[in-house]
RNA sequence: GGAGAGAUGGCAGAGUGGUUGAAUGCGACGGUCUCGAAAACCGUUUCACCCGCAAGGGUGACGGGGGUUCGAAUCCCCCUCUCUCCGCCA
């Protein structure tokens, strides 16, 4: 959520930054108008309350000092009190309504892109920052897509998963399941060693949590909802883990907080019909190891860089070629101010595909979720900065291994670093 | 699912209609003392919003929402959550 004070005091700047995202009309004017009405009401309302408090106090004093509670003097005060009460009963609902409207509008606004985020319309204007692992690019000509090799090896089951669920679900079988498990453990161990505290959060979460990280109210159709409860399947562990600290005031000495979490993730993938219909790339359910950081605002830039590194290290350990993309303003996610994607090489389609997305949300989620910190000796509180990134998407990592480690005879080598986890060298 | 109990400041824990933003204790912070520390003593110690250049002033908040009243932490209603017992269950 954007700071209403910032919008109030600097509407042109806010407008300009929002416009960098897209040509959508972010109409700040209605917010400003509602805001000034609300403040007007608040001023008159609080003046009335002040008088009402005075009356209450003075009635109390008079009664205690012997005035007749049924007498004329107290009667007059009561009458005035009643008059104020009736005025307040008109003002209060109006003010409440205004606040709700303002809140509604604010919740719809995306984060401001960071000044350093490259300006661009869509993913075509993302900026490639660097590549890693060219020396590991597979050399042999014909590489089967991972779904074909997986099917040959008998490690996936698509048809039966569709039968028991729906399209865009998969079951891993035998070595496939073991490989998935091995990858999860491998990733977690690495991130724990890098200083992240592991969490296994709830996978069903309430609406407040989704609002806190920005998936609601705008993107309700992207998550699965349980009809009879205010509970949703998590689209990413970012949501429960960041919301761990919702409505808390943390002691500054606790920062930075680093968490990693393995969870399944559930996405409706509405609007992606016909895209990536085969394989492990785009599923309604997939596994992910997520990294979440809650940090002091002064350090969030550096924390962002190291977050990306932590995700990269997994690919480096697995010797999978990748590149780092800096998203342009037009491709930036709703809550992000700045975002780096890591894209892994998929030789069967000769493309780099997103395997991690590392965002700095700055204070945007912190405002929505009300996550603050207090520095000893300093008056008041400040909002933390929140960051998150995949470390990594497990299914896509498996796809990358199946393709990049494919051998001419149709077998797949297991990356060395993973062998101790899977306890075999070849699939 | 059935029956009961409860939700107060960082924590513990008073408060059942009138200067109660809230006693008391602990903790934390500052000071005195000390070579230093402990102890003791003194003091401080919530957050948000609004008005104001400022000094300052005001409002709101005792799980959440409504109601009664001139006045609610205190009374009434609804909701949420927690705990205990029974049932069920991985």
């Amino acid at each position: 959520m954007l700071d209403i004070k910032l919008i109030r005091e600097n509407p042109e700047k806010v407008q300009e930054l929002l416009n960098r995202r897209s040509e959508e009309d972010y109409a700040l004017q209605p917010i400003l108008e509602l805001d000034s009405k609300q403040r007007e009401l608040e001023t008159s309302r609080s003046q009335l309350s002040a008088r009402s408090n005075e009356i209450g106090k003075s009635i109390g004093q008079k009664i205690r000092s012997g005035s007749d509670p049924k007498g004329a003097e107290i009667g007059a005060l009561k009458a005035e009190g009643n008059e104020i009460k009736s005025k307040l009963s008109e003002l209060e609902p109006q003010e409440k309504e205004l606040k709700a409207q303002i809140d509604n509008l604010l919740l719809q606004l995306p984060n401001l892109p960071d000044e350093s985020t490259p300006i661009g319309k869509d993913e075509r204007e993302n900026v490639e920052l660097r590549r890693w692992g060219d020396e590991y690019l597979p050399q042999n000509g014909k590489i089967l897509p991972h779904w074909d090799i997986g099917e040959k090896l008998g490690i996936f089951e698509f048809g039966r998963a569709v039968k028991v669920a729906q399209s865009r679900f998969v079951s891993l079988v035998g070595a496939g399941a073991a490989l998935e498990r091995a990858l999860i453990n491998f990733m977690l161990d690495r991130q724990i060693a890098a200083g992240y505290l592991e969490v296994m959060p709830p996978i069903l979460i309430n609406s407040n949590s989704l609002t806190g990280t920005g998936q609601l109210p705008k993107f309700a159709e992207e998550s699965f909802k349980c009809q009879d409860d205010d509970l949703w399947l998590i689209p990413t562990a970012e949501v429960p883990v960041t919301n761990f600290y919702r409505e808390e005031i943390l002691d500054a000495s606790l920062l930075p907080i680093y968490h990693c979490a393995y969870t399944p993730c559930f996405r409706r993938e509405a609007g992606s019909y016909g895209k990536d219909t085969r394989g492990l790339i785009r599923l309604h359910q997939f596994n992910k190891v997520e990294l979440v950081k809650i940090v002091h605002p002064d350090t969030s830039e550096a924390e962002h860089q190291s977050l990306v590194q932590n995700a990269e290290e997994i690919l480096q350990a697995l010797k999978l070629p990748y590149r780092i993309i800096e998203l342009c303003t037009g491709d930036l996610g709703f809550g992000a101010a700045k975002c780096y994607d890591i894209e892994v090489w998929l030789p069967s389609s000769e493309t780099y595909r997103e395997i991690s997305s590392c965002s700095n949300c700055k204070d945007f989620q912190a405002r929505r979720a009300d996550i603050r910190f207090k520095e000893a000796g300093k008056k008041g509180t400040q909002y933390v900065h929140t960051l998150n990134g995949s470390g990594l998407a497990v299914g896509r990592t498996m796809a990358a291994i199946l393709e990049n480690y494919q051998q001419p005879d149709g077998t797949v080598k297991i990356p060395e670093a993973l062998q101790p986890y899977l306890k075999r060298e070849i699939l």
Side-chain angles (χ1 to χ4, degrees), chain A residues 240-260:
Chain A
V241 176
T242 306
N243 277 282
F244 251 44
Y245 300 100
R246 179 149 46 84
E247 290 148 43
E248 289 194 30
I249 299 173
L250 303 164
D251 192 291
S253 65
L254 295 172
L255 304 178
I257 294 170
Y258 295 173
H259 284 305
C260 60

Side-chain angles (χ1 to χ4, degrees), chain A residues 127-134 304-310 312-313 316 321-326 340-343 352:
Chain A
V127 178
E128 180 177 316
L129 295 182
R130 57 184 185 272
R131 293 188 183 206
W132 181 94
D134 280 355
H304 194 196
Q305 299 302 326
S306 66
L307 179 74
V308 176
Q309 273 175 27
N310 295 138
E312 281 184 73
E313 279 158 11
Q316 290 176 7
Y322 65 85
R323 62 176 187 175
I324 305 289
I325 299 292
E326 179 166 13
Y340 300 105
D341 274 6
I342 304 177
E343 298 183 338
Y352 285 97

Side-chain angles (χ1 to χ4, degrees), chain A residues 162-396:
Chain A
V162 171
K163 175 170 63 186
V164 300
Q166 216 186 40
S167 66
R168 288 202 193 282
F169 282 87
V170 70
S171 287
L172 301 170
V173 177
L179 178 56
E180 184 90 353
R181 239 179 333 113
L183 280 167
I184 292 165
N185 279 329
F186 169 71
M187 290 175 188
L188 282 174
D189 283 353
R190 292 262 165 169
Q191 302 305 357
I192 291 164
Y196 292 81
L197 179 63
E198 185 181 356
V199 189
M200 277 208 183
I203 288 169
L204 285 174
I205 54 166
N206 58 37
S207 299
N208 282 341
S209 296
L210 282 157
T211 306
T213 32
Q215 285 76 15
L216 286 180
K218 251 195 137 177
F219 307 101
E221 72 289 347
E222 288 178 17
S223 293
F224 288 100
K225 176 161 206 296
C226 299
Q227 213 172 2
D228 295 336
D229 304 278
D230 178 31
L231 288 171
W232 307 66
L233 284 166
I234 60 168
T236 158
E238 165 200 344
V239 182
V241 176
T242 306
N243 277 282
F244 251 44
Y245 300 100
R246 179 149 46 84
E247 290 148 43
E248 289 194 30
I249 299 173
L250 303 164
D251 192 291
S253 65
L254 295 172
L255 304 178
I257 294 170
Y258 295 173
H259 284 305
C260 60
Y262 151 68
T263 65
C265 301
F266 303 88
R267 297 187 183 175
R268 296 193 60 232
E269 297 296 344
S272 67
Y273 310 110
K275 248 193 210 168
D276 307 311
T277 50
R278 308 194 66 185
L280 303 177
I281 299 302
R282 193 178 299 275
L283 296 167
H284 288 311
Q285 174 183 342
F286 61 96
N287 292 314
K288 183 155 61 75
V289 169
E290 181 75 0
L291 306 175
V292 169
K293 288 183 170 186
I294 312 280
V295 309
H296 191 291
D298 293 350
T299 65
S300 80
E301 178 56 41
E303 293 284 5
H304 194 196
Q305 299 302 326
S306 66
L307 179 74
V308 176
Q309 273 175 27
N310 295 138
E312 281 184 73
E313 279 158 11
I314 302 293
L315 289 169
Q316 290 176 7
L318 295 172
K319 300 194 165 84
L320 290 169
Y322 65 85
R323 62 176 187 175
I324 305 289
I325 299 292
E326 179 166 13
L327 298 197
C328 71
T329 50
D331 201 24
L332 212 55
F334 185 76
K338 192 175 175 69
C339 181
Y340 300 105
D341 274 6
I342 304 177
E343 298 183 338
V344 71
W345 178 247
L346 287 185
S348 74
S349 51
E350 300 194 312
T351 49
Y352 285 97
R353 287 304 300 257
E354 178 186 333
I355 197 167
S356 173
S357 190
C358 300
S359 303
N360 185 353
C361 299
K362 301 229 209 146
D363 64 359
F364 183 79
Q365 294 181 328
R367 282 179 191 285
R368 294 181 154 241
D370 194 19
I371 308 174
R372 291 172 287 165
F373 71 98
K374 183 160 179 61
E375 277 176 305
K378 268 200 191 175
K379 197 80 185 138
T381 58
Q382 301 175 68
Y383 287 104
V384 299
H385 280 193
T386 62
L387 301 93
N388 64 80
S390 344
L392 307 159
V394 182
R396 289 186 179 186

